[in-house]
């Protein structure tokens, strides 16, 4: 009865068609703060994917016994516990990257992606589909983060994963890094551009205009 | 997760979700299990974290020492290794009762920390340990190189560094940053060798003995300044305050005076 | 007094939560279409931040910080890794309490806030405020100023963005940029503008 096709759809849908960042406006905070280098973006992506998959699994296991009055706080406590464990693990084995990520790993607790999936899907579905769904959303989120991180590190420093890819001008090459890429505004611009690109390729994701102009063509005042 | 063989538990789980008993039970169980999981993971991983930090610190010291010009000659003269000792900061000499092995236990006791008042607290630390482990290189009876751990509040969090001073206790031989939480690409550049290269040869005090060291806002202008990092002014100020605190009377000041007088 | 004012300006403008630290963007973008919802969100955020950051400071210092249990003879106990769960619990309790108080004594304000209040529990801004307070080692007074200032900064930013987006309803945008896309670009421009405030901090 469990065919491979339904899980495949659950897994791949969040990549473009239902991407949490570009369509559902979820998980933005960390998407911008930690994408200055590919290494931090990758660590954040992996951490979030692990947290969302495990949290969905655990919450789905006990979903029948969670009283409605304490529903949200129970979910948050479970997610917070997962996050702390992952953070301790990062501090032990990836200390440098953990320092670069600082509080943003702990902010995975309030990451809208995790809460949205546990609240809407894992609370009403059996464990295995919930975990696949969570993993899929983690992948969708990771895709955006990796692209952002790659673009920002490449044009901001000429590096990818710390390795010099574009030779810097002050070391004899031709590339002058765009320092703006390392600052906050560039993340917003790049995301806006990505949203524009995705919605141009898939027009069904574009939002409807709030105001239809009158039938007569008049110059704007 | 529900056990199959405990009748009371099954009865409890079969209660309607909204009943008071079940609410309290679920809340308690979730909290207890989460706390156990988190504490277990932390306790298990903490030794590994401490070991990693210690190994990193050793590596930084080794790298710092290698990076100081003329270091290899100095090392050869003294026999090749740095010696280490725990210093009593208030008295400016080696601590009588504390050794590097017992330092961590000693610092767990709040009696071995000095609270700083607003006038002293220029590095944003709040309080300062009374004992610090330093590294030094002796040349006969005199100290030819002194490695001092520093810490202070930067822009995004604490900055830890190790500064190397030459035998005159006034000229910086080099600096290594061991920990920081500064902005990647901006303040985080304090760990890059290109910025640290402006430290060797910088002097701390002027002729009258006043601490003049600072991180400039732009290129360094004068023998008491090091280059600033564009876009990281506050990180630079954090470093300035950190150096001024630790090299001043509330930090290693008494120790440096003792070394200059030849009493160390 | 000037230290408090400086810290307030720092929290509100230099380290603006949505525009510089990237916190709270989900609700920032989702609720900035209309000015009324933006104002409601801003006020709720300011209140919860102003109360939760100092309260979390007290709890952190009393229970979780390294050395907090020295009075009981256990100075080496370091429970700071539990800060996350503790802060979330406190924030959830504050929000719940606020909702109950408003519902009981100020029902009109409660109706005006609508759905924002429960939503605030899971806001990165609120948790982020407390986490930054720990990382920067603020004392109690500084925590209060920092919390309140961050809230005011969020309020200013979200109201500004909503004012622009309301006007954009009449603009002729490419289909792909409508809504979320242009909101990102606008936020980026505002963020660029706010970046000039760092000079204000550096000049001190």
């Amino acid at each position: 009865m469990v065919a491979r096709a339904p899980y495949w759809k659950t897994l791949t849908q969040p990549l473009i068609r239902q991407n949490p960042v570009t369509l559902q406006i979820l998980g933005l905070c960390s998407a911008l703060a930690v994408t200055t280098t590919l290494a931090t973006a990758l660590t954040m992506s992996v951490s979030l994917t692990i947290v969302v998959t495990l949290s969905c699994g655990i919450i789905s296991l006990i979903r029948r016994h969670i009283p409605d009055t304490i529903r949200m706080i129970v979910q948050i406590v479970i997610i917070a516990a997962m996050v702390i464990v992952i953070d301790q693990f990062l501090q032990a084995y990836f200390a440098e990257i953990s320092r670069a990520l600082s509080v943003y790993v702990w902010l995975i607790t309030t990451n809208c992606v995790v809460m949205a999936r546990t609240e809407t899907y894992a609370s009403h579905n059996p464990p295995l589909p919930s975990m696949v769904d969570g993993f899929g959303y983690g992948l969708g989120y990771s895709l955006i983060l990796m692209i952002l991180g790659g673009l920002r590190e490449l044009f901001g420093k000429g590096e990818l994963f710390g390795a010099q890819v574009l030779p810097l001008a002050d070391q004899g090459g031709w590339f002058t890094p765009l320092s703006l890429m390392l600052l906050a505004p560039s993340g917003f611009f790049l995301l806006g551009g990505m949203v524009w690109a995705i919605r141009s390729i898939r027009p069904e994701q574009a939002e409807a205009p709030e105001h239809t102009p009158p039938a007569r063509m008049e110059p704007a005042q | 997760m529900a056990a199959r063989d405990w009748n009371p538990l099954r009865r409890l789980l079969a209660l309607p979700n909204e009943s008071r008993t079940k609410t309290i039970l679920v809340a308690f169980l979730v909290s207890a299990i989460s706390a156990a999981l988190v504490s277990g993971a932390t306790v298990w991983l903490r030794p590994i974290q401490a070991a990693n930090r210690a190994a990193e610190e050793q590596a930084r010291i080794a790298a710092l020492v290698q990076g100081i010009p003329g270091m290899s000659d100095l090392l050869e003269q003294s026999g090749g290794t740095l010696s280490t000792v725990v210093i009593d900061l208030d008295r400016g000499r080696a601590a009588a009762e504390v050794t590097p092995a017992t330092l961590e236990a000693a610092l767990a006791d709040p009696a071995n920390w000095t609270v700083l008042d607003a006038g002293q607290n220029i590095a944003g630390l709040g309080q300062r340990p009374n004992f610090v482990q330093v590294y030094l290189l002796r040349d006969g009876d005199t100290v030819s190189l002194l490695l001092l751990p520093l810490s202070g509040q930067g822009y995004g969090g604490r900055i830890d560094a190790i500064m190397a001073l030459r035998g005159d206790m006034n000229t910086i031989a080099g600096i290594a940053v061991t920990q920081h939480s500064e902005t990647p690409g901006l303040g985080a550049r304090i760990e890059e060798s290109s910025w640290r290269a402006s430290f060797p040869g910088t002097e701390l005090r002027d002729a009258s003995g006043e601490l003049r060291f600072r991180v400039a806002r732009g290129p360094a202008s004068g023998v008491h300044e090091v280059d600033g990092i564009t876009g990281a002014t506050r990180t630079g100020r954090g470093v300035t305050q950190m150096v001024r605190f630790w090299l001043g009377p509330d930090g290693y000041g008494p120790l440096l005076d003792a070394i200059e007088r030849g009493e160390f | 007094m000037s230290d408090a004012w400086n810290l307030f300006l720092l929290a509100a403008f230099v380290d603006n939560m949505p525009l510089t630290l990237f916190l709270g963007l989900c609700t920032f973008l989702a609720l900035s279409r209309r000015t009324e919802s933006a104002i409601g969100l801003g006020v709720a955020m300011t209140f919860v931040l102003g109360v939760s950051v100092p309260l979390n400071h007290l709890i952190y210092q009393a229970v979780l910080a390294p050395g907090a249990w020295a009075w009981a003879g256990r100075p080496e106990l370091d429970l700071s890794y539990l800060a996350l769960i503790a802060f979330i619990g406190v924030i959830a309790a504050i929000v719940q309490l606020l909702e109950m108080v408003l519902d009981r004594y100020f029902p009109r304000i409660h109706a005006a806030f609508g759905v924002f209040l429960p939503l605030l529990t899971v806001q990165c801004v609120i948790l982020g405020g407390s986490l930054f307070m720990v990382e920067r080692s603020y004392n109690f007074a500084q925590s209060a100023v920092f919390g309140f200032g961050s809230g005011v900064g969020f309020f200013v930013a979200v109201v500004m963005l909503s004012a622009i987006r309301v006007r954009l309803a009449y603009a002729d945008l490419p289909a792909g940029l409508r809504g979320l896309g242009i909101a990102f670009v606008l936020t980026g421009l505002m963020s660029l503008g706010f970046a000039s405030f760092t000079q204000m901090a550096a000049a001190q």
Side-chain angles (χ1 to χ4, degrees):
Chain A
M1 191 196 125
V2 172
R4 205 163 153 254
Y7 282 168
W8 181 248
K9 184 159 180 276
T10 316
L11 197 62
T12 56
Q13 185 151 302
L15 283 178
I16 299 282
R17 254 169 282 135
Q18 286 284 331
N19 188 288
V21 180
T22 55
L23 184 64
Q24 300 181 358
I25 322 184
L26 299 173
L28 290 172
C29 319
S30 29
L32 294 167
V34 303
T35 46
T36 44
T37 61
L38 255 185
T40 48
L42 179 64
T43 313
M44 188 56 141
S45 307
V46 170
S47 306
L48 185 115
T49 309
I50 294 178
V51 170
V52 72
T53 312
L54 287 178
S55 306
C56 281
I58 294 179
I59 289 174
S60 171
L61 274 172
I62 58 172
R63 71 186 181 286
R64 296 225 173 100
H65 301 292
I66 306 180
D68 204 40
T69 38
I70 56 171
R71 191 184 77 246
M72 302 240 354
I73 193 71
V74 162
Q75 289 177 16
I76 294 185
V77 166
I78 292 177
I79 297 172
M82 296 284 113
V83 168
I84 299 183
V85 169
I86 294 241
D87 179 53
Q88 292 294 325
F89 190 75
L90 279 180
Q91 278 184 35
Y93 292 109
F94 297 99
E96 283 225 28
I97 294 196
S98 167
R99 272 199 297 276
L101 289 174
S102 72
V103 299
Y104 290 101
V105 172
W106 280 26
L107 286 177
I108 295 180
T109 315
T110 48
N111 193 304
C112 327
V113 174
V114 187
M115 277 300 292
R117 292 336 288 164
T118 58
E119 178 77 359
T120 57
Y121 198 87
S123 299
H124 311 291
N125 288 285
L128 191 56
S130 300
M131 287 178 74
V132 172
D133 172 81
F135 188 69
Y137 271 84
L139 283 184
Y141 175 85
S142 306
L143 180 68
I144 302 293
L145 243 67
M146 296 295 285
I147 295 180
L148 267 183
L151 286 174
R152 286 179 82 183
E153 190 177 9
L154 187 62
F155 292 117
K157 292 203 271 193
E159 298 175 0
L160 280 179
F161 279 117
Q164 202 72 38
V165 166
L166 301 174
L168 292 178
D170 54 4
Q171 286 172 7
W174 53 266
F175 180 68
T176 315
L178 284 150
S179 299
L180 184 65
M181 283 287 168
L182 299 172
L183 294 178
S186 68
F188 287 114
F189 294 142
L190 282 174
L191 254 181
M194 280 173 68
V195 167
W196 191 6
I198 294 180
R199 292 185 183 189
S200 305
I201 301 175
R202 294 192 172 267
E204 69 269 11
Q205 288 191 12
E207 298 173 34
E210 289 179 15
H211 249 83
T212 38
R216 275 183 315 160
M217 298 295 274
E218 275 184 339
Q221 291 298 319
Chain B
M1 275 177 78
R4 289 177 182 277
D5 45 350
W6 284 46
N7 267 334
L9 193 60
R10 278 194 109 178
R11 262 212 311 273
L12 279 171
L13 286 175
L15 279 175
N17 278 351
E18 305 309 323
S19 79
R20 200 167 283 186
T21 322
K22 184 138 184 220
T23 307
I24 295 182
L25 177 75
V26 169
F28 179 74
L29 276 179
V30 167
S31 313
I33 295 180
S34 304
L37 182 68
V38 164
S39 306
T42 307
V43 163
W44 178 42
L45 289 171
R46 199 159 266 187
I48 304 181
Q49 291 173 5
N52 279 352
R53 269 197 289 273
E56 262 183 51
E57 179 118 354
Q58 288 297 96
R60 304 263 186 173
I61 292 179
L64 170 65
V65 162
Q66 297 301 330
I68 297 175
M71 196 56 223
S72 37
D73 303 327
L74 282 172
L75 273 180
E76 270 176 39
Q77 283 170 10
S78 76
T81 45
L82 292 168
S83 57
T84 181
V85 65
V86 174
I87 299 291
D88 183 332
L89 284 177
D90 293 316
R91 297 203 193 95
R93 53 176 168 77
E97 331 75 33
V98 187
T99 65
T102 61
L103 181 63
E104 198 173 329
L107 288 183
D109 181 1
N112 286 331
W113 288 71
T114 308
V115 175
L116 303 166
D117 62 41
Q120 297 169 307
N121 189 19
I122 57 178
L125 289 167
Q127 54 178 4
R128 172 219 81 181
N130 293 347
F131 302 102
V132 181
Q133 182 175 5
V134 304
Y135 302 83
L136 47 104
L137 205 59
R138 282 193 189 274
D139 182 15
D141 249 352
T142 55
V143 176
S144 58
L145 192 74
L146 186 62
L147 265 57
L148 302 171
L150 311 176
S151 67
Q153 197 70 8
Y155 165 54
R158 226 176 76 156
I159 299 180
D160 290 334
I162 303 178
M163 177 172 279
L165 288 184
R166 289 200 187 282
D168 62 354
M169 295 297 121
N170 196 38
T171 313
I172 302 177
I175 192 170
V177 176
T178 53
Q179 179 178 294
H180 68 87
S181 307
E182 306 303 292
T183 317
L186 296 171
R189 296 183 62 194
I190 55 175
E191 63 185 19
E192 287 176 21
S193 47
S194 49
W195 180 74
R196 296 185 295 130
S198 65
F199 274 79
T202 309
E203 292 179 19
L204 295 167
R205 300 170 201 276
D206 60 16
S208 66
E210 194 186 315
L211 253 183
R212 293 271 308 275
F213 171 86
R214 71 185 271 262
V215 175
R217 283 184 52 186
S221 59
V223 73
H224 302 284
E225 293 189 353
V226 294
D227 296 332
I229 299 177
T230 321
T233 325
R234 283 158 65 194
T235 306
R237 195 147 39 96
V239 172
T240 306
Q241 298 299 87
M242 175 175 77
V243 173
R244 286 196 177 179
F245 173 76
W246 284 101
L247 277 297
D250 295 308
Y252 299 113
L255 173 68
L256 297 181
D257 291 337
I259 294 180
E260 278 177 30
R261 289 196 300 266
E263 289 171 6
F264 189 67
Chain C
M1 186 55 209
S2 80
D3 270 338
W5 177 243
N6 284 340
L7 184 60
F8 177 80
L9 290 179
L10 196 88
F13 296 110
V14 179
D15 277 340
N16 189 279
M17 286 282 186
L19 297 179
T20 316
L21 298 175
F22 299 118
L23 295 177
L25 288 174
C26 314
T27 40
F28 182 76
L29 290 171
L31 291 174
S32 55
R33 277 177 192 271
R34 303 219 171 317
T35 318
E36 309 87 58
S37 50
I39 292 179
L41 178 67
V43 172
M45 198 69 88
T46 308
F47 189 86
V48 178
L49 266 174
V51 172
S52 69
V53 176
L55 193 60
N56 278 332
H57 170 85
L58 287 175
I59 291 177
Y60 185 76
Q61 291 300 328
V63 178
L64 300 169
W69 290 92
W71 57 269
R74 301 290 301 276
E76 76 282 0
L77 209 54
D78 178 5
L79 295 174
S80 54
Y81 64 94
L82 288 176
L84 185 62
I85 293 188
F87 289 170
I88 294 238
V90 169
I91 292 169
I94 292 178
V95 171
Q96 186 81 17
L97 208 62
L98 177 66
E99 201 179 351
M100 281 162 35
V101 163
L102 281 183
D103 200 14
R104 181 83 205 281
Y105 296 110
F106 303 103
R108 287 190 57 196
I109 302 185
H110 183 253
F113 271 144
V115 75
F116 304 139
L117 228 29
L119 213 58
L120 285 182
T121 316
V122 295
Q123 273 308 294
C124 356
V125 191
I126 315 279
L127 185 61
S130 298
L131 291 179
F132 278 117
M133 173 271 299
V134 166
E135 183 158 300
R136 297 184 189 177
S137 312
Y138 287 142
N139 62 29
F140 181 76
Q142 288 172 326
S143 304
V145 172
F146 176 71
F148 184 68
S150 305
V152 168
F154 189 91
F155 176 78
V156 167
V158 74
V159 169
M160 276 170 61
L161 185 64
S162 73
I164 304 176
R165 286 185 81 178
V166 163
R167 296 287 185 285
L168 277 185
Y170 302 102
D172 194 13
L173 292 168
L177 263 187
R178 251 183 252 135
L180 189 60
I182 199 66
F184 273 131
V185 175
L186 281 174
T187 314
L189 289 170
M190 281 171 64
S191 172
L192 205 50
F194 270 66
S196 60
F197 284 121
T198 51
Q199 289 307 308
M200 186 170 80
Q204 289 164 17

